[in-house]
Amino acid sequence: MFSDSDPENCITASEDPRTPVIIGGSHYRKDPHHWYDDGNVVFIAQDNAFRVFQSILIKRSQVMKDMLGLPQPTASSETEGGVSDGQLVFEGAPVIVLDDRARYFHLLLDALLPQDCAKLPISEDLGRENLMGVTQIAKKYEFDDVADRAISVLENILPTKEQPNKRIRIWRSSSDIRSWVQIINWAR
């Protein structure tokens, strides 16, 4: 679903379940889980478009409240998404362009707008890299409960100061060593 540089996440255009959308003259793909036709704000992360409800976000995050209150950069195209009063809009909804990885923003929205009540959106099933990514983005936008949950799950997976001798699988390949370097850099 996501077109990050990670080969595991790459899919061909013919397999992509996301609907194309043009916003401000640029081509994006609607996120299949977090595109609500009646949503009142659109977020763009990489080539993904998310249309959600700003009231849910601003109720839980002062950063989102402040960000959604600021004028956003505009585009000159007037196709399906255009400019209104200096603000890039799509069907009346303001458009916010993020510099975040789409996968992590999607996971953050999964935690804020769960699709399945029977499954925890933040769990060990996400894996170490996704947990670190959702932790970073949740901290960035001050969704403290999501960040705390992701950190709690990471503490169950990784050694901590409180449990420095926790047994974990030892990796031997160079890609696994890069993973450890990523963990160390992330923890700083």
Side-chain angles (χ1 to χ4, degrees):
M1 177 182 321
F2 301 102
S3 59
D4 293 338
S5 60
D6 183 359
E8 291 180 16
N9 296 316
C10 292
I11 58 176
T12 65
S14 63
E15 298 172 332
D16 196 339
R18 301 171 300 159
T19 305
V21 63
I22 299 172
I23 301 173
S26 297
H27 296 265
Y28 301 100
R29 298 272 182 178
K30 294 178 182 179
D31 184 88
H33 296 112
H34 299 295
W35 182 273
Y36 303 95
D37 290 332
D38 58 343
N40 60 359
V41 65
V42 175
F43 290 95
I44 303 294
Q46 296 177 303
D47 70 339
N48 296 270
F50 305 87
R51 188 171 185 175
V52 295
F53 308 96
Q54 69 180 356
S55 60
I56 293 171
L57 302 176
I58 64 175
K59 189 172 187 171
R60 295 182 64 181
S61 166
Q62 183 63 44
V63 171
M64 283 287 174
K65 184 175 184 178
D66 293 344
M67 184 170 58
L68 291 169
L70 295 174
Q72 297 300 314
T74 61
S76 58
S77 177
E78 290 279 346
T79 50
E80 290 182 28
V83 179
S84 173
D85 296 329
Q87 166 78 48
L88 183 61
V89 295
F90 178 79
E91 297 178 350
V95 177
I96 312 295
V97 179
L98 305 173
D99 65 351
D100 301 302
R101 288 184 69 177
R103 176 174 37 170
Y104 301 149
F105 193 71
H106 175 93
L107 292 172
L108 175 65
L109 292 176
D110 279 351
L112 299 171
L113 303 162
Q115 302 292 309
D116 182 355
C117 292
K119 183 177 183 280
L120 287 174
I122 305 294
S123 68
E124 290 183 23
D125 294 342
L126 290 181
R128 173 196 43 80
E129 182 180 340
N130 286 330
L131 285 166
M132 291 187 325
V134 77
T135 300
Q136 287 177 323
I137 199 168
K139 285 177 156 263
K140 175 180 179 178
Y141 296 116
E142 295 181 2
F143 288 102
D144 297 332
D145 58 327
V146 177
D148 291 346
R149 170 68 185 157
I151 289 169
S152 174
V153 174
L154 279 167
E155 286 174 344
N156 287 332
I157 297 172
L158 302 171
T160 62
K161 287 180 182 177
E162 292 78 25
Q163 298 175 323
N165 296 323
K166 181 184 278 188
R167 300 196 80 183
I168 55 173
R169 182 175 71 113
I170 302 296
W171 295 308
R172 304 236 185 252
S173 75
S174 61
S175 65
D176 291 334
I177 292 170
R178 281 192 301 272
S179 294
W180 281 105
V181 171
Q182 180 186 22
I183 291 169
I184 292 166
N185 287 332
W186 176 84
R188 290 183 177 167

